[in-house]
Amino acid sequence: MNPKTRSAPPRAMAMLESLRGLGYSTGAALADIIDNSISAGAKEIRIDFTWNGSASRITVLDDGRGMNDSELESAMRLGDKNPLDTRDTHDLGRFGMGLKTASFSQCRRLTVASAKDGSTSCLRWDLDELAADPDGGWLLFEGPASGSQPFIAGLESKKAGTLVLWEMMDRIVTTGYTADNFHDLIDNVESHLAMVFHRILQEPRAKIKLLLNGRAVVPWDPFMTGHPAKWASPIANRPTDYGTVSVRCHVLPHRDKLTSAEFEAYAGPVGWTAQQGFHVYRNERLLVAGGWLGLGNSRAWNREESHRLARICLDIPNTADADWKIDIRKSTARPPVSLRPWLTRLAEDTRERARHVFAYRGTPAPAQGNISIEQAWRVEHLKTGMRYRIEETHPSVAAVLAGAGALQPLIRSMLRVIEETVPVQRIWLDTAENKETPCTGFEGEHDAAIIEVASVLFDDLTERKQLSVEEARKIMLRTEPFQKYPALVAKLGSKK
């Protein structure tokens, strides 16, 4: 006996208004529209923002294969595509909802016109017209709204392609919104798209050309590919039932190794700290721009200043969406349990490398092979916590103690006072508030000041310890902080 059933279709207006609250930013919404253009084989995509107060609009025009009338109707229907269906390997979509949900999150009127095989079709969703007849159901309107015909004219000269028009953008142009706000939005959208599609836009193998108000969007590479001061691991691959997952870990250079322009540019749209962690890609399209994907040991890792230089490139196939819990906005991902230990190990190593670069300001190993740097401080790990100790084997400290004679107990007492009064909390707060480690290692000092200090140690090495000039210079080149100034060390001992 068949169970009794009832038909319970959703009310159109209630459902559509609910879909508007999925939380898209304007940049993320436009990225979803661009995904459709790329999947349609577009080579050039033009986005145009037009300011006109509450009548402002955004259009997206592509030169893809276009849609006939039945295909357009299918694209405009909500829930027409089953996310479980097998897709083309290069398809950037999944739910078949992106065009509608992304657009509704920004506007009340969505018009899509498409050309294919010499004919043009145009359909629109108009939430205000639907609201005027709440019981009218799921009505698609044919053609643009009255007065909007000129806004889809860009498609007329094309044999194939699609134009998406957003009007009545009540989620963007709100009370008090100005032209300046609109122009700021354009800049923010450009930064977002430059990041999300950077691999697709990158020359010399660029797959598309993306224009924003007539200006080409320049790709932003979060991994600073090719920079001589960065570290990158080999690519690690892990086969799964849904395809291969690939990971490459990167540690970006410390600020000391970057120009001011580089430091500002590579911070990314949301800043150095927020961009740390995994950058998850599907078909070279960025889904997740930073974060640790809920990984960690005893507790999930947070974004911390000390790990801000760690960025990990992670590629998944488009068959992995369900296992990785990709959401409808393509903005969150969670690795399956089977991969979490592997990803955690890779991330731990990268975080530790990044922390070391951050803590030591990117100081490289000395030129004379793998000899370690003589550091002025060491860390003791005790049951009660960590303590910072002055390293008595450091040449400067050792020289003072060796020549102290009867004053040695007094000097050791002074060193202990310095150790016990390191302003750890103040340093931590200042670093967190200023988003930068305090100046050390003679940063910002003139060469004369560095030479003045270095000469004292150099003279002790050559006079008291009777080392040759060359031997003394070698010691200086592996002694913190003088190893950062090889050109100045080379001048020590030279005849004036």
Side-chain angles (χ1 to χ4, degrees):
M1 180 177 179
N2 293 328
K4 293 182 178 179
T5 61
R6 298 183 185 183
S7 177
R11 297 184 184 276
M13 274 309 298
M15 185 68 170
L16 292 172
E17 289 292 347
S18 297
L19 290 175
R20 304 195 75 202
L22 285 176
Y24 284 89
S25 67
T26 304
L30 283 169
D32 249 12
I33 306 301
I34 294 168
D35 285 343
N36 293 333
S37 296
I38 295 173
S39 295
K43 299 301 180 184
E44 181 178 278
I45 304 167
R46 291 180 171 269
I47 305 170
D48 288 290
F49 284 65
T50 303
W51 170 253
N52 188 21
S54 60
S56 298
R57 63 187 181 276
I58 297 174
T59 59
V60 181
L61 173 64
D62 71 49
D63 62 355
R65 67 179 66 96
M67 295 174 280
N68 58 33
D69 190 69
S70 62
E71 289 171 331
L72 176 58
E73 182 178 330
S74 174
M76 292 289 274
R77 182 182 295 117
L78 278 83
D80 186 68
K81 182 187 294 185
N82 188 333
L84 300 179
D85 289 345
T86 302
R87 291 168 291 151
D88 182 86
T89 55
H90 300 293
D91 189 357
L92 292 175
R94 177 191 176 194
F95 295 94
M97 297 281 283
L99 169 64
K100 287 77 68 176
T101 55
S103 299
F104 294 151
S105 74
Q106 308 296 308
C107 68
R108 297 190 66 79
R109 181 188 294 158
L110 164 65
T111 305
V112 181
S114 195
K116 184 177 183 180
D117 299 330
S119 64
T120 300
S121 302
C122 183
L123 294 173
R124 66 185 158 92
W125 285 106
D126 196 319
L127 300 190
D128 281 0
E129 293 208 31
L130 291 178
D133 183 12
D135 297 321
W138 299 84
L139 298 179
L140 271 172
F141 297 89
E142 296 186 355
S146 177
S148 296
Q149 291 87 346
F151 307 149
I152 64 170
L155 193 64
E156 292 177 356
S157 61
K158 292 187 175 292
K159 294 181 180 180
T162 299
L163 185 146
V164 176
L165 169 64
W166 290 353
E167 297 176 285
M168 300 165 56
M169 300 189 299
D170 61 325
R171 294 293 179 94
I172 296 175
V173 184
T174 55
T175 302
Y177 199 85
T178 67
D180 287 341
N181 299 135
F182 199 64
H183 293 139
D184 289 341
L185 175 65
I186 294 172
D187 291 339
N188 291 336
V189 167
E190 182 174 12
S191 297
H192 183 77
L193 299 181
M195 175 180 67
V196 169
F197 297 104
H198 76 93
R199 289 168 68 176
I200 298 172
L201 294 170
Q202 190 72 52
E203 297 290 356
R205 297 186 299 109
K207 296 180 179 178
I208 63 169
K209 185 176 183 180
L210 186 58
L211 301 172
L212 182 55
N213 280 14
R215 183 177 67 241
V217 174
V218 179
W220 178 79
D221 174 14
F223 308 111
M224 298 180 67
T225 302
H227 196 287
K230 62 158 282 188
W231 172 84
S233 73
I235 296 174
N237 295 314
R238 179 61 62 93
T240 69
D241 293 340
Y242 46 80
T244 299
V245 175
S246 299
V247 177
R248 192 175 193 192
C249 305
H250 302 258
V251 176
L252 273 53
H254 191 275
R255 182 172 186 170
D256 290 357
K257 304 296 179 182
L258 303 175
T259 66
S260 296
E262 285 177 326
F263 181 77
E264 182 176 350
Y266 286 106
V270 292
W272 282 94
T273 302
Q275 300 279 186
Q276 70 179 266
F278 287 92
H279 292 242
V280 183
Y281 295 80
R282 186 185 64 185
N283 286 344
E284 297 191 316
R285 193 265 205 208
L286 182 63
L287 302 180
V288 178
W292 295 107
L293 304 182
L295 299 176
N297 294 315
S298 58
R299 58 186 178 86
W301 293 320
N302 294 318
R303 292 178 172 95
E304 298 167 340
E305 282 296 305
S306 57
H307 300 117
R308 73 182 193 185
L309 302 178
R311 294 180 184 174
I312 302 175
C313 179
L314 192 157
D315 282 279
I316 62 173
N318 73 349
T319 49
D321 288 5
D323 293 85
W324 281 75
K325 299 179 175 60
I326 305 299
D327 71 339
I328 197 169
R329 292 179 297 130
K330 303 176 205 167
S331 62
T332 62
R334 285 290 179 269
V337 172
S338 60
L339 294 182
R340 292 175 71 89
W342 175 60
L343 294 174
T344 299
R345 288 194 300 272
L346 293 173
E348 277 183 319
D349 177 70
T350 306
R351 282 164 57 89
E352 183 56 34
R353 290 174 182 270
R355 183 178 181 276
H356 187 273
V357 172
F358 182 81
Y360 292 101
R361 310 186 73 86
T363 301
Q368 299 87 349
N370 294 319
I371 302 172
S372 61
I373 299 291
E374 293 282 356
Q375 296 177 353
W377 289 88
R378 73 175 190 275
V379 181
E380 286 186 354
H381 296 273
L382 308 172
K383 291 183 179 180
T384 54
M386 292 184 298
R387 284 187 178 274
Y388 294 90
R389 298 295 194 193
I390 293 173
E391 183 55 76
E392 293 187 4
T393 60
H394 186 280
S396 289
V397 180
V400 171
L401 292 175
L407 292 177
Q408 191 174 113
L410 185 61
I411 292 173
R412 289 186 181 278
S413 176
M414 177 193 69
L415 296 178
R416 185 61 186 270
V417 169
I418 293 173
E419 292 173 342
E420 298 300 330
T421 57
V422 176
V424 174
Q425 291 182 329
R426 176 63 184 271
I427 293 171
W428 182 84
L429 285 171
D430 287 344
T431 300
E433 291 172 357
N434 297 324
K435 307 299 182 185
E436 187 53 68
T437 49
C439 295
T440 58
F442 296 111
E443 182 182 7
E445 294 280 354
H446 294 295
D447 288 356
I450 303 171
I451 290 176
E452 181 181 358
V453 177
S455 295
V456 174
L457 175 57
F458 184 82
D459 290 344
D460 178 77
L461 294 172
T462 55
E463 295 173 8
R464 184 180 63 84
K465 299 192 74 173
Q466 295 293 300
L467 298 179
S468 68
V469 168
E470 198 60 36
E471 290 173 327
R473 287 174 180 167
K474 287 181 179 179
I475 289 178
M476 297 291 291
L477 287 173
R478 59 174 186 263
T479 300
E480 188 182 35
F482 306 111
Q483 87 285 358
K484 296 172 65 176
Y485 305 96
L488 296 183
V489 170
K491 296 178 181 180
L492 295 173
S494 300
K495 295 183 179 179
K496 299 181 181 180

